[in-house]
Amino acid sequence: MSERKMAHETATILQEEYYFLSSVKKVEGMFQEKGTIPAKGTFSYVKGTMDYQAETPTGYVQKVNFTLHLHTGDETAIGRGFFDTRTKRLSKWIELK
């Protein structure tokens, strides 16, 4: 029983990490293509949705908050990406609890 629970938790964590990585790459691609990050948006995935909201750039840093809602119902994960406005790439990542 405990092995099954641990396997489920591991699968959920890996799913969250994959959705965060995919979303960061999509935002980074939009930033490089258009030169700006849209103020907010949503990415839909098979097992959840990722909302993002970009803050006003400060100096050479633009913060983007990501909120993942898995379709299982009670699972929500929050992360924050810091993008360098000169290179248009992610420079720092923090997962919030």
Side-chain angles (χ1 to χ4, degrees), residues 21-35:
L21 177 64
S22 296
S23 298
V24 165
K25 290 294 185 187
K26 287 179 182 182
V27 168
E28 196 174 69
M30 288 188 292
F31 196 15
Q32 292 171 357
E33 186 178 306
K34 298 177 182 173

Side-chain angles (χ1 to χ4, degrees), residues 15-64:
Q15 189 78 56
E16 289 175 0
E17 289 179 2
Y18 175 75
Y19 287 160
F20 275 125
L21 177 64
S22 296
S23 298
V24 165
K25 290 294 185 187
K26 287 179 182 182
V27 168
E28 196 174 69
M30 288 188 292
F31 196 15
Q32 292 171 357
E33 186 178 306
K34 298 177 182 173
T36 60
I37 298 173
K40 61 182 175 176
T42 301
F43 300 119
S44 295
Y45 295 101
V46 173
K47 295 184 179 180
T49 58
M50 179 73 75
D51 297 322
Y52 70 89
Q53 186 167 4
E55 297 182 9
T56 304
T58 305
Y60 296 112
V61 178
Q62 175 148 18
K63 285 190 239 177
V64 180

Side-chain angles (χ1 to χ4, degrees), residues 73-84:
D74 58 338
E75 314 231 5
T76 300
I78 300 171
R80 180 173 293 146
F82 296 84
F83 291 84
D84 185 322

